[in-house]
Amino acid sequence: MTITATADRPLAIERRFYMTMVGAIIAVVFVGFSRSVFLRPFFPGVHAPTEVWFYVHGAVFITWLALLATQVSLIGAGNRALHMRLGVAGFAMVPLMV
């Protein structure tokens, strides 16, 4: 009786899971803010904040989501060094998001 174990299979499933979760997060953010921010010209009657800080926070948060997607794809591609260097940028963005 021979048992063959492959280490790549669980990692591939795990990496696909994380990329799917990042996609789901981005989709939820887009749907949640589509009428007041992303698709605002199509919904002129929807209340949207007038303060600039809301839009600055949104831009930083969207940038952070793009960085998150990049980080996950870098790990999936096996580029751990660049992933770690970009992690410092993500850490620097935390005070801006708050």
Side-chain angles (χ1 to χ4, degrees):
M1 182 166 144
T2 303
I3 298 175
T4 305
T6 58
D8 293 338
R9 183 77 175 145
L11 286 178
I13 292 170
E14 182 177 342
R15 290 175 179 162
R16 198 170 345 145
F17 169 78
Y18 283 113
M19 202 60 199
T20 302
M21 288 298 108
V22 168
I25 290 169
I26 291 171
V28 166
V29 168
F30 180 78
V31 169
F33 291 101
S34 64
R35 292 178 64 178
S36 62
V37 178
F38 300 116
L39 302 176
R40 189 173 177 183
F42 298 112
F43 300 99
V46 174
H47 171 71
T50 57
E51 294 86 1
V52 159
W53 294 109
F54 286 103
Y55 297 101
V56 170
H57 169 76
V60 172
F61 188 74
I62 293 299
T63 304
W64 182 80
L65 285 176
L67 179 63
L68 176 64
T70 303
Q71 292 279 77
V72 171
S73 64
L74 284 172
I75 287 296
N79 194 345
R80 188 171 181 226
L82 182 57
H83 165 82
M84 291 175 70
R85 279 187 270 149
L86 285 177
V88 175
F91 183 72
M93 289 178 72
V94 170
L96 295 174
M97 291 176 58
V98 175

